[in-house]
Amino acid sequence: MITDKHFLNAVNNTNNVDFTGWDFSIITRTGRMDSDMLSWSYGSEAIRLIQNSNAALDMGTGGGEFLSLLQPFPHVMYATEGYKPNVPIAKKRLEPLGVTVVERTEDENLPFKDDTFDLILNQHESFCASEVKRILSKEGTFFTQQVGGLDCSRINECIGVPINKEFCNWNLKKAIEELKQSSFNIISFKEEFPVQRFYDIGALVFYLKAIPWQVPNFDIETHIEGLYNIHGIIQSKGFFDVKQHRFTIKAEAK
């Protein structure tokens, strides 16, 4: 039985903190978690694209936090969100800005007519290439930044939970293959593995609660030994490092 009061207080206090929308500021703005920079800026390219668009869609908008910063919007601006608790949060934030928020339930059946958008943005959201192609106009742009299947795999190794087998092979090569099969021209792409650093075990617990697919069915009691092992690493080194997996693609519909 673990009796370390510092550790137990840290994990239990964080376990009681609610996570809403897509807001990690409680651990990022306080410097409890940090990440290396990528060689590209998804936001800089997204805002340039959206300012030259007539009809745009943001797939997987979360609570609308990121999209709300890309104003001014085109005349037609939609956002989808598949995580039910985020939908009312996104609507509250985005609809006053002129964005129509739609709940998405299936990647293969998006609730839009053919050729609706000239721009589709997608940051860390799953997608079906053929369905994206269907709702994108000819020569329209699909711009995505994806989380690869090897993302933060060291967390799983240290906790003793295998990474998701269905997701582990998701990478730049596979995504490009799927887009090409759906008649996209690939304009640009990059793939990188920046370091993500946790400075206390509470920050990691918050992260795992917010990202439930990293360690499925994550529970402090169930995974207490693995968490304590990571706590030991932080106590020894001052931090716990993992490698993220990110890639970006800009593609054009033929």
Side-chain angles (χ1 to χ4, degrees):
M1 178 180 291
I2 296 171
T3 58
D4 186 327
K5 290 184 178 180
H6 173 67
F7 167 75
L8 294 173
N9 286 338
V11 296
N12 288 324
N13 288 341
T14 305
N15 194 42
N16 295 325
V17 177
D18 289 331
F19 179 82
T20 59
W22 198 244
D23 183 8
F24 292 87
S25 60
I26 191 172
I27 56 175
T28 55
R29 291 185 182 179
T30 54
R32 299 170 63 193
M33 182 186 80
D34 205 355
S35 302
D36 283 350
M37 302 299 289
L38 293 162
S39 66
W40 68 84
S41 168
Y42 177 83
S44 293
E45 181 64 9
I47 199 166
R48 184 190 71 80
L49 291 169
I50 210 167
Q51 289 174 353
N52 290 283
S53 170
N54 294 312
L57 167 66
D58 181 38
M59 296 179 66
T61 199
E65 298 87 354
F66 176 79
L67 181 59
S68 67
L69 303 176
L70 301 184
Q71 300 177 70
F73 297 131
H75 178 66
V76 176
M77 185 74 230
Y78 279 79
T80 62
E81 175 54 30
Y83 183 50
K84 202 173 188 68
N86 280 346
V87 175
I89 298 170
K91 286 186 175 183
K92 184 177 180 180
R93 177 176 280 112
L94 296 176
E95 289 188 343
L97 304 179
V99 181
T100 301
V101 178
V102 178
E103 184 174 355
R104 173 201 60 80
T105 56
E106 297 178 357
D107 289 343
E108 296 78 12
N109 186 24
L110 297 174
F112 304 106
K113 295 180 179 179
D114 295 1
D115 308 320
T116 297
F117 304 104
D118 58 34
L119 172 65
I120 296 177
L121 300 174
N122 178 309
Q123 183 175 210
H124 303 175
E125 176 74 349
S126 60
F127 67 89
C128 170
S130 60
E131 186 67 353
V132 170
K133 174 67 165 52
R134 180 186 68 78
I135 65 173
L136 194 61
S137 60
K138 186 177 181 180
E139 298 184 351
T141 298
F142 176 56
F143 180 53
T144 183
Q145 177 174 293
Q146 290 285 302
V147 176
L150 299 178
D151 190 62
C152 299
S153 59
R154 191 183 178 209
I155 295 176
N156 299 68
E157 292 170 8
C158 290
I159 289 181
V161 176
I163 59 176
N164 190 317
K165 291 183 179 179
E166 293 182 7
F167 184 55
C168 66
N169 293 321
W170 179 239
N171 55 33
L172 177 65
K173 180 181 178 181
K174 184 171 179 58
I176 286 178
E177 288 175 354
E178 291 185 4
L179 288 167
K180 285 183 174 180
Q181 289 171 3
S182 294
S183 300
F184 277 94
N185 286 321
I186 307 302
I187 307 302
S188 61
F189 56 87
K190 284 187 176 182
E191 184 172 37
E192 294 178 359
F193 297 84
V195 170
Q196 182 161 283
R197 177 168 289 183
F198 298 89
Y199 290 95
D200 68 80
I201 194 64
L204 178 63
V205 170
F206 181 88
Y207 182 82
L208 292 176
K209 286 182 59 185
I211 312 291
W213 52 87
Q214 185 73 49
V215 178
N217 302 312
F218 172 70
D219 175 76
I220 288 176
E221 185 174 346
T222 302
H223 301 105
I224 193 74
E225 294 294 339
L227 291 172
Y228 194 57
N229 289 337
I230 295 173
H231 176 68
I233 294 172
I234 295 172
Q235 292 299 99
S236 174
K237 298 182 65 175
F239 54 83
F240 174 65
D241 280 353
V242 298
K243 284 187 178 181
Q244 296 178 307
H245 182 186
R246 298 285 185 271
F247 61 90
T248 183
I249 303 171
K250 183 164 66 173
E252 183 180 272
K254 294 181 182 179

